[in-house]
Amino acid sequence: MSRTIDGAGIDGVLQGAVDAGDVPHVVAIAADADGVFYEGGAGPRAVGEPDQVSGSTHFRIMSMTKMVATTTALQQVERGELDLDAPVEEYVPSFAEIQVLEGFDGDTPKLRAPARKATVRHLVTHTSGLSYWFWNADIGRYEQVTGVPNVVPGDRRALFAPMIADPGSRYEYGINTDWLGLVVEAVAGTTLDVVIKENVTGPLGMDDTMFALDDARQGNKTPVHVRGEDGAWMSAGNFLPDYPEWWPGGHGLHSTPRDYIRFERALLRGGELDGARILRQETVDAAFSDQLGGIPLPEEIASADPATTDTLHLGPGFTWGYGLLLNTDDVPGRRRAWSGAWAGLLNTHFWVDRTTGICASIYTNSLPFISEHEAWKLYGDFESALYAAL
């Protein structure tokens, strides 16, 4: 039987953020090993509409997709089908085409071969050298001068943007998990949507988590919100293509707070939920352990596209596991050391605190990401209110 708490303080945090205009809407949810013990929401599904958001509203979870896709790769490792230390090109030969961007000669990119071959492990730990345009100005410029799109519109050419560092030399957050999804497909002999359905969402009863939503679920999805010229929230439409040229393991899933919390609970419980085991305990333990091998995680990642994201200020005391950001110290009044977490570009965020025995997540669909005094502040206020209520 899951615990009970007085959620009034959390409700106030959520409603206050909407009333202040910090976010267009918000849903938050928290659970322990036995079940959900808090769920709350505030604000309309779309600005100007009567429907309110709830735990059953569909959100684009963007990079919260990454841990789901990473789980399918770890399952293949457990079955002996995938070698984390094998070169990526052994599974997906076209990966060998990717070079390292050293700069520009005028508007001509200067490219060279990487010093070593990127491995599957490099993809899982974001140490392959691949990046994103919104946190790396050189990739943004490369896409601009070559016409190669970023990954969001779903054009497969986006996968072949260059590395900006040699594999294994530094942590650089990027399109690694999109390539990892292609590796998983090559090993499985089928597409990533099928692999995830058969091995994660199906066994866990996550029937509302998928890449392409059917018509009924489309009507339950919040649009992406941005600020208009008057500073008020407005709908910016769909943002993600419904049918991209590949199923992006890095950002493509839609889910609901009630669905995704089942995945979080499975991680909290060591890889099992309601009799369905998706990972072994030792694999989950590895996912929640430092996997960077001495490579430092940046304390700050500067924005290269302020309309898309604010600068990420992490500070000291963080590392990366398998698909998870890990805090190596307790956060006073909040999550304990070695909690695993990550977020999605449209302002969704989750964490799993195995020491306290809880997991939680919070959802809006808005840009820019982690706006420091708005969505990012709300994350922290929700977390503090949740721990205060325990």
Side-chain angles (χ1 to χ4, degrees):
M1 185 175 178
S2 61
R3 69 188 78 194
T4 57
I5 64 166
D6 180 357
I10 307 171
D11 293 342
V13 165
L14 304 184
Q15 189 64 56
V18 173
D19 291 346
D22 293 342
V23 290
H25 53 236
V26 59
V27 176
I29 191 167
D32 59 18
D34 296 317
V36 172
F37 61 83
Y38 175 81
E39 181 185 309
R45 189 183 62 83
V47 167
E49 291 188 5
D51 293 342
Q52 298 290 294
V53 289
S54 74
S56 61
T57 300
H58 271 92
F59 293 88
R60 301 158 195 78
I61 64 170
M62 302 303 286
S63 287
M64 282 167 52
T65 303
K66 286 182 168 68
M67 189 55 193
V68 178
T70 299
T71 295
T72 64
L74 295 174
Q75 290 171 336
Q76 292 176 336
V77 172
E78 288 183 346
R79 294 193 293 263
E81 300 166 352
L82 176 61
D83 179 1
L84 288 180
D85 295 312
V88 177
E89 65 192 62
E90 284 191 12
Y91 298 101
V92 188
S94 59
F95 189 85
E97 299 172 23
I98 297 179
Q99 295 184 289
V100 177
L101 177 64
E102 287 206 307
F104 296 86
D105 184 1
D107 281 340
T108 302
K110 295 197 299 185
L111 299 168
R112 63 165 173 83
R116 64 191 65 84
K117 293 182 178 182
T119 65
V120 179
R121 187 182 301 276
H122 290 141
L123 297 181
V124 173
T125 57
H126 292 278
T127 54
S128 74
L130 295 170
S131 189
Y132 275 127
W133 83 96
F134 52 84
W135 274 334
N136 189 282
D138 283 346
I139 289 297
R141 186 176 178 200
Y142 176 87
E143 291 170 349
Q144 185 178 26
V145 300
T146 62
V148 171
N150 69 56
V151 290
V152 172
D155 185 327
R156 204 174 180 96
R157 290 179 300 154
L159 292 165
F160 293 91
M163 303 166 182
I164 51 82
D166 284 311
S169 64
R170 74 189 210 212
Y171 179 94
E172 181 77 23
Y173 185 64
I175 62 172
N176 298 278
T177 320
D178 292 304
W179 277 103
L180 183 65
L182 299 182
V183 170
V184 167
E185 289 185 342
V187 171
T190 189
T191 51
L192 188 62
D193 58 330
V194 174
V195 176
I196 286 174
K197 176 68 174 176
E198 291 182 350
N199 295 281
V200 181
T201 59
L204 294 181
M206 298 167 61
D207 297 332
D208 283 321
T209 302
M210 59 194 70
F211 287 103
L213 297 180
D214 56 26
D215 289 345
R217 290 180 174 89
Q218 284 282 8
N220 183 51
K221 180 172 67 173
T222 172
V224 178
H225 289 76
V226 298
R227 293 197 184 275
E229 292 183 5
D230 61 355
W233 290 107
M234 57 177 280
S235 169
N238 197 27
F239 192 76
L240 275 182
D242 290 319
Y243 292 97
E245 292 182 0
W246 85 100
W247 297 121
H251 64 267
L253 285 175
H254 301 81
S255 190
T256 68
R258 289 176 193 162
D259 242 28
Y260 199 86
I261 201 76
R262 293 187 62 78
F263 178 64
E264 296 173 58
R265 287 179 61 215
L267 295 176
L268 181 67
R269 292 167 57 100
E272 173 275 334
L273 181 66
D274 295 343
R277 178 160 293 281
I278 59 167
L279 289 172
R280 298 173 187 160
Q281 178 72 58
E282 58 267 30
T283 304
V284 176
D285 291 344
F288 282 82
S289 303
D290 174 27
Q291 297 295 341
L292 289 184
I295 295 174
L297 195 82
E299 294 186 16
E300 178 181 291
I301 305 177
S303 173
D305 181 1
T308 300
T309 183
D310 211 337
T311 292
L312 177 62
H313 300 286
L314 280 177
F318 287 88
T319 188
W320 195 261
Y322 289 149
L324 295 168
L325 176 73
L326 307 171
N327 54 297
T328 60
D329 300 310
D330 290 349
V331 181
R334 294 167 59 180
R335 70 189 70 175
R336 299 292 296 277
W338 299 103
S339 296
W342 201 230
L345 185 65
L346 298 176
N347 286 309
T348 62
H349 178 78
F350 81 96
W351 77 93
V352 178
D353 179 346
R354 301 199 299 168
T355 299
T356 305
I358 68 165
C359 53
S361 40
I362 185 166
Y363 299 78
T364 74
N365 263 179
S366 62
L367 284 171
F369 177 51
I370 55 169
S371 43
E372 190 168 359
H373 303 293
E374 296 174 339
W376 188 245
K377 178 178 180 294
L378 174 58
Y379 295 169
D381 290 348
F382 161 58
E383 187 176 342
S384 295
L386 173 61
Y387 279 79
L390 293 177

